[in-house]
Amino acid sequence: MEDKQTLIDMFKFHGHKCWASAAGLRAGLAALRALGVERSGAKSLHAVLETGYHHAAECFGDGVQYATGCTFGKSNISKDPKGKLAVRVIDKKNNKAVRISFKPVLREKIRNSAFMKKRASAVPPTEIPEEEQWEVVYLIWDAYEEDVLSIGKVYDCELAPTEELMRMVICDGCGEMVAESYMRVVNGKPVCIDCAGYDV
Ligand SMILES: [Zn+2]
Ligand SMILES: [Zn+2]
């Protein structure tokens, strides 16, 4: 088991303590271990999150981002929205991938926790007593891996390389800095999408 500090640091990133982000953290760490790789400092890994939008337990995705270093800021994570607590992590260097999903063995225990009962009656997670927050987190964090995760076989997976355009340009209209590929030309002047007044 990883030390508790990793969990605390992830919660700082995530914003609150919850079981789903803890599950995502475990899933991400398990993916690194299965692939035999380090957290993605740059873009050596790409993750495909199977969580969807606006549903329970979406917090899973933040645990995955924190564990794997696959982040929306670096664009080395994407969503294949299926409403599932699952992720595929691809090692771009070795062209290998693994899929990890949350195994709902502890579902009833989670549902019956004081934390989830309050969440079900719309109490925001940050207003639930600290010890009740930790109680549900520890359900996931201290559990045996086989009671939390399904870890698939490592399989071959090749991603087309992506090109990163480095040039940034100053918009003639608003003066903001814009990636060149997003610039438009209006009356012979380079402008951003907002200043161009059209978005094609
Ligand atoms: Zn959360
Ligand atoms: Zn502009």
Side-chain angles (χ1 to χ4, degrees):
M1 182 52 56
E2 297 288 324
D3 68 295
K4 191 180 162 189
Q5 193 58 46
T6 313
L7 188 63
I8 292 168
D9 292 344
M10 184 278 291
F11 286 143
K12 273 189 207 148
F13 164 72
H14 180 50
H16 61 248
K17 298 174 196 75
C18 69
W19 71 270
S21 63
L25 181 62
R26 288 197 69 170
L29 292 171
L32 298 185
R33 197 188 62 227
L35 293 168
V37 294
E38 302 270 299
R39 187 175 194 264
S40 194
K43 299 186 182 183
S44 56
L45 304 177
H46 183 93
V48 182
L49 264 181
E50 295 184 18
T51 49
Y53 298 95
H54 315 301
H55 66 71
E58 237 190 291
C59 295
F60 181 86
D62 272 354
V64 167
Q65 286 192 86
Y66 191 81
T68 61
C70 296
T71 59
F72 281 96
K74 295 201 291 287
S75 293
N76 62 338
I77 192 166
S78 51
K79 272 198 179 185
D80 179 12
K82 295 178 181 174
K84 290 188 179 185
L85 303 196
V87 63
R88 304 184 308 264
V89 179
I90 302 150
D91 170 10
K92 289 160 70 179
K93 212 185 280 171
N94 298 304
N95 298 323
K96 298 283 180 194
V98 67
R99 180 177 185 271
I100 314 271
S101 67
F102 175 68
K103 209 194 260 186
V105 175
L106 298 165
R107 188 168 185 234
E108 282 309 308
K109 281 193 179 169
I110 294 168
R111 212 182 345 216
N112 291 325
S113 67
F115 178 88
M116 287 310 287
K117 283 186 177 151
K118 286 183 181 159
R119 288 294 291 127
S121 52
V123 179
T126 46
E127 286 176 22
I128 296 171
E130 179 93 6
E131 63 273 17
E132 291 177 10
Q133 295 180 28
W134 279 111
E135 185 193 6
V136 72
V137 164
Y138 282 141
L139 268 180
I140 293 296
W141 192 246
D142 289 339
Y144 291 116
E145 186 169 77
E146 57 267 32
D147 287 341
V148 181
L149 301 174
S150 290
I151 301 174
K153 281 210 173 79
V154 172
Y155 59 95
D156 294 332
C157 178
E158 205 168 329
L159 276 191
T162 44
E163 205 184 327
E164 187 165 316
L165 302 168
M166 295 302 292
R167 233 175 103 76
M168 304 289 293
V169 180
I170 304 298
C171 169
D172 203 63
C174 63
E176 291 182 353
M177 190 167 76
V178 187
E180 190 178 43
S181 52
Y182 288 84
M183 290 298 281
R184 305 293 179 258
V185 176
V186 172
N187 300 327
K189 297 218 156 93
V191 290
C192 72
I193 288 171
D194 292 332
C195 294
Y198 62 86
D199 62 3
V200 285

